[in-house]
Amino acid sequence: MAKDIAIFRDKGDEELPVTLGLSNSFEEYSGSLRRTEFLLIGGYVGSGKSVICSNLQVMQHSLGKVAPYYSLEMRAVEVLMRNLSIMAGISASELRN
């Protein structure tokens, strides 16, 4: 059930920062995100939106957190393969072959 998901367990955690895992300077500059905030990433085709989102999702997963990620441009299996390649530390093309 939804109440069993880690992000809904503890009251007062809304103000704790969410580690994005992009870079220390970005985290310091932006102050990171809070659990109650919503992040939309937009940009031109090929500008790295999906790679950023996959890195965010993998970082949250590695911390044991829930990280929903919805893409209008990629199929679920493509997102999965990209995330697995990030976790394995290899390029997505290597994972495909």
Side-chain angles (χ1 to χ4, degrees):
M1 295 187 61
K3 67 181 173 97
D4 296 324
I5 297 174
I7 59 173
F8 298 119
R9 283 193 191 141
D10 300 321
K11 293 280 187 199
D13 282 352
E14 299 88 16
E15 293 304 313
L16 292 176
V18 174
T19 303
L20 300 177
L22 297 176
S23 72
N24 290 337
S25 59
F26 178 81
E27 304 268 344
E28 187 176 308
Y29 174 76
S30 68
S32 201
L33 291 175
R34 303 292 180 248
R35 293 176 190 267
T36 56
E37 295 176 324
F38 183 71
L39 175 66
L40 290 175
I41 298 177
Y44 293 107
V45 174
S47 62
K49 302 177 300 290
S50 298
V51 172
I52 289 173
C53 291
S54 284
N55 279 310
L56 294 173
Q57 189 175 37
V58 167
M59 170 58 78
Q60 290 302 301
H61 174 75
S62 71
L63 296 172
K65 305 293 182 186
V66 175
Y69 167 31
Y70 304 95
S71 174
L72 299 176
E73 299 172 348
M74 295 175 67
R75 297 184 335 237
V77 69
E78 293 171 316
V79 173
L80 174 64
M81 295 302 278
R82 176 171 281 167
N83 290 355
L84 289 175
S85 71
I86 292 169
M87 291 172 158
I90 60 174
S91 73
S93 60
E94 283 183 63
L95 194 58
R96 253 183 266 141
N97 297 327

